[in-house]
Amino acid sequence: MKRFNVLLSLLVLASLVLAACGTTPTEAPATEAPATEAPATEAPATEAPAAYECTDALGCVKIAPGEPVHLAYWGVLSGADGTLGEDSKRGVEIAIDDKGGTLLGHDILLTTEDALCTPDGGATAAAKLAADTSLVGLIGSACSDETVGGIAAITNAGLTTISPSNTRPALTDPNRGPDYAGYLRTAHSDAFQGKAVAEFAYNVLGARKAATIHDGSAYAEALQQVFADNFVALGGEIVAQEAVAKDATDMRPVLTSIAAGAPEFLYYPVFVAAGGFITAQVREIAGLENVALAGSDGIFTPDFLAAAGPNVEGMYLSSPDFSAFPDAYKSFIEKHQAKYGEAPLSIFHAHAYDATNILFAALEQVAVVEADGTVYVPKQALRDAIYATKDFNGITGTLSCSASGDCGAPVIAVYQVVNADPASWNPQDAANPNPKKVYP
C-alpha cells in the first residue's frame, strides 16, 4: 500500500510538471474563439453607409472633399467685341459673390475660355471645356456663332450650357437638332427684337423704305432678315440687303450701292468693328446724309461709340428694356459699381446673373452630398432640372424654360445715342441716361 501511494504521488507530480512546461497542445482554445465568438464579419455589413452608385444616363461628376464646384464661362473676351463677353462674365462673378463663393459646402471655381465670337473660336473653346471632367455646368456662349461652332462638343460631353446673350432664333427652334440638347438661354430671341425694330421704324419714325447690312454671322444675318420680313409685313419696302465681311474697313462701296435705293432707314445689326466703320463713313455717301441709322445689342456698348465717332449721335440701338426689369436689378447695378468701379459694359450682365442662379438652383436640387462632404452631380438629372425651371424670380423678370431652351423674358426697347462721348455711356442712369430709351 505504501508503494502504491508513493507511485500515485509521483504520477501527480509528473502531471503538474508537464502542465507547467506547456506541453498540453490539445487543450489550447486558439482555434475555437474566432470560430464561435468573433462577430467581425457582421458589424461592417450592417453599420457602414452604402456608397453612392451613379446610374445617371450621362454619368456623374464627383467632387471630393476639399475640391471646388467647377463652373465655366465661355464667350468672346478679347478684340473689338470683348466687352460683350466681359459684361456677361461680370454677371456670373456677381452671382458667385452672392453665394458667398461656395455651393454645396465647396468653394466655387470659375474657368473662362475666350471663344472669339466666331464658329472656329467656339469650337476650340468648347472642345477644351468638354474634355474637362471636373466641370459641372457652363454659362455661355456670348455670340451665336460661338454656339454654332461648339455646342455639339458640349452636348456630347453630357454638359449643359446656358447662354446669356445668344439671340439667333434658330438656336432654340423646336426643330433644332440633337446637338442642342445641352443648350438653353436667358437672352431673348431675335424673333422679338427684329419685330420691335421694324415696328419702331415703320410706326414711330414713319419710314417706308429701308435697307439692311449684315456681316455673315449667324446673329446678324438672321436678325436683319427678321427685321425685313416684319417691315414688309407692315407695308414697308426693303430696297437693299447687303453684306460686309466682319473685318472689312472700307464700307463705301456697299453704302454707295445702298444709296441708289434711297432708303429712309438703314439697319445694320452687326458687331463693333464693322458697325464702327459703317457709321463713321455713312455720311460721306451722297443720298445717305440724313438716313436714320439703327443697330442692335451687338453694338450696345461704349466701345461702339469710340469706334463710330461723332456720326453715332442720334443713332438708334435696340436692346433688352432695362426699365422693365424688377427692382432687384437696381441692387445688382450697385454691386457692379462697387466691384468694378464703372457702369456695365454692355447689356447681358443681368441675363448672365440669372443664368448662373438657375444653374445654382438646379445643382442644389439634384446633387447628392455624402456624410464626408463628397458631392455627386448626375448630369442628365441636372440638365432636366434646368429645363424644368419655372417661375424663377430673376433680375430680368420671371423666367420659365421651354422644351427647346428659351428661358428669357423677351422685353425689347429702342434707345437713342444722345452723346457720342464713350465716357458718357450709362443707359441705367435714371437722370441722364446715354443711350436714352425712346421706344416703347
Side-chain angles (χ1 to χ4, degrees):
M1 183 67 182
K2 183 176 180 181
R3 291 181 60 186
F4 176 77
N5 288 340
V6 171
L7 180 60
L8 180 62
S9 297
L10 288 172
L11 289 171
V12 171
L13 178 61
S15 66
L16 290 173
V17 170
L18 288 172
C21 292
T23 56
T24 55
T26 59
E27 298 177 3
T31 60
E32 297 176 2
T36 59
E37 300 176 4
T41 58
E42 297 177 3
T46 57
E47 296 178 4
Y52 175 74
E53 181 180 356
C54 177
T55 58
D56 188 273
L58 296 178
C60 297
V61 178
K62 179 182 178 181
I63 306 170
E67 293 181 349
V69 174
H70 191 185
L71 312 179
Y73 170 79
W74 61 303
V76 59
L77 293 170
S78 63
D81 303 310
T83 51
L84 175 65
E86 179 66 25
D87 179 70
S88 291
K89 182 171 74 70
R90 289 181 177 184
V92 176
E93 291 170 343
I94 292 174
I96 293 173
D97 288 349
D98 283 354
K99 277 288 187 183
T102 65
L103 188 72
L104 302 168
H106 292 246
D107 291 341
I108 300 172
L109 171 65
L110 179 66
T111 290
T112 61
E113 283 293 333
D114 186 352
L116 306 175
C117 205
T118 66
D120 288 345
T124 300
K128 184 175 181 180
L129 294 169
D132 189 336
T133 57
S134 70
L135 278 175
V136 298
L138 302 90
I139 305 299
S141 68
C143 300
S144 294
D145 270 350
E146 296 167 339
T147 290
V148 171
I151 191 58
I154 298 294
T155 293
N156 292 337
L159 293 167
T160 303
T161 189
I162 310 173
S163 171
S165 58
N166 291 168
T167 55
R168 179 179 170 87
L171 300 181
T172 53
D173 187 282
N175 296 318
R176 63 184 184 167
D179 286 346
Y180 286 84
Y183 175 83
L184 305 93
R185 65 181 171 199
T186 52
H188 57 265
S189 166
D190 281 337
F192 299 96
Q193 182 164 221
K195 182 174 185 288
V197 176
E199 291 172 345
F200 172 73
Y202 190 91
N203 295 329
V204 178
L205 298 184
R208 295 295 181 265
K209 298 173 68 176
T212 68
I213 304 174
H214 70 82
D215 59 7
S217 66
Y219 157 75
E221 187 168 5
L223 180 50
Q224 63 84 33
Q225 189 60 53
V226 173
F227 165 82
D229 291 344
N230 281 275
F231 191 74
V232 170
L234 289 167
E237 178 186 1
I238 298 297
V239 298
Q241 287 178 277
E242 297 285 351
V244 298
K246 291 184 74 173
D247 59 353
T249 58
D250 184 4
M251 306 300 182
R252 295 174 185 86
V254 165
L255 292 169
T256 299
S257 176
I258 289 173
E264 302 161 286
F265 188 84
L266 177 57
Y267 182 48
Y268 42 107
V270 293
F271 291 99
V272 169
F277 285 116
I278 292 171
T279 309
Q281 297 167 17
V282 66
R283 301 305 184 201
E284 302 173 17
I285 308 302
L288 298 181
E289 297 90 341
N290 299 308
V291 66
L293 305 177
S296 282
D297 40 23
I299 51 178
F300 200 94
T301 167
D303 286 355
F304 173 62
L305 271 58
N311 284 350
V312 76
E313 189 164 316
M315 184 171 175
Y316 301 103
L317 301 173
S318 62
S319 154
D321 186 351
F322 299 114
S323 67
F325 289 175
D327 288 344
Y329 180 61
K330 297 176 182 176
S331 174
F332 174 92
I333 292 299
E334 293 170 358
K335 294 172 186 174
H336 188 287
Q337 184 68 35
K339 186 176 181 69
Y340 303 107
E342 60 183 350
L345 300 171
S346 189
I347 55 171
F348 290 110
H349 45 270
H351 299 75
Y353 180 87
D354 281 351
T356 309
N357 279 303
I358 286 174
L359 176 59
F360 287 161
L363 281 166
E364 289 173 328
Q365 179 182 339
V366 305
V368 177
V369 183
E370 295 198 320
D372 67 350
T374 299
V375 173
Y376 292 90
V377 178
K379 294 192 285 188
Q380 182 66 61
L382 176 64
R383 181 179 292 176
D384 292 345
I386 296 172
Y387 272 96
T389 298
K390 184 178 181 182
D391 298 334
F392 185 87
N393 291 320
I395 61 172
T396 61
T398 302
L399 308 181
S400 297
C401 297
S402 73
S404 57
D406 261 327
C407 307
V411 183
I412 305 298
V414 177
Y415 292 74
Q416 186 173 30
V417 178
V418 296
N419 190 331
D421 182 0
S424 69
W425 180 273
N426 195 347
Q428 290 86 11
D429 189 328
N432 190 29
N434 182 44
K436 180 180 180 180
K437 178 184 170 183
V438 294
Y439 175 80

